Amino acid sequence: MTSHKTAQTMKPATAAKKLGVYLEATPAEFQEGVVSRTELNALQADPPAWLQELRRNGPHPRPVVAAKLGVSIAGLARGGITEALTTEQIDALKDEAPEWLVKERATQAEVRKEAVRIKEKQAERAAKDN
């Protein structure tokens, strides 16, 4: 018996997530079809103009917005940001520096510092055990 290898495909939402773009802003043919692993790799290797434009100017999905603002996704929600934002809107928020953003950035910095401390502590334990 021989098995036929079928192309691995994914839903447009999954492909958009992997590409780091907001699905609703992608072209209709992207949203309505399925994306094969080969097509995804081609989009990543040589992004078409629409993908370059979305990555540059948005609208960006929440994980990208959170990363660009230096906060968590939960921090975005606490700040009342539930929609996708454009690069221009993100830059405006950075310039305004509302109180919630300053607070969430400080919280995120503390979380990162604590993660580093824990990692160092675990490395010390591992070194002692060896």
Side-chain angles (χ1 to χ4, degrees), residues 15-128:
K17 188 174 184 178
K18 289 181 181 287
L19 291 169
V21 295
Y22 186 57
L23 177 63
E24 285 76 13
T26 61
E29 61 269 11
F30 181 85
Q31 292 180 36
E32 294 163 2
V34 293
V35 180
S36 72
R37 174 67 60 191
T38 306
E39 291 169 331
L40 179 69
N41 291 341
L43 287 170
Q44 289 172 325
D46 186 23
W50 65 265
L51 182 53
Q52 291 175 17
E53 178 66 19
L54 276 179
R55 285 179 170 168
R56 188 177 318 113
N57 298 318
H60 303 287
R62 287 182 312 157
V64 174
V65 173
K68 285 180 179 274
L69 289 174
V71 299
S72 66
I73 294 173
L76 278 182
R78 285 189 292 271
I81 306 294
T82 57
E83 308 284 315
L85 298 179
T86 64
T87 300
E88 189 176 308
Q89 291 169 314
I90 293 168
D91 291 342
L93 263 176
K94 285 180 182 177
D95 292 342
E96 285 174 28
E99 185 179 329
W100 72 266
L101 181 57
V102 173
K103 182 180 173 188
E104 290 299 334
R105 281 181 161 174
T107 301
Q108 191 68 7
E110 286 298 317
V111 167
R112 287 188 188 115
K113 198 163 35 170
E114 181 65 7
V116 167
R117 187 191 69 75
I118 290 169
K119 190 173 182 178
E120 288 172 351
K121 191 172 184 177
Q122 289 172 342
E124 284 176 23
R125 280 193 191 142
K128 284 181 184 177

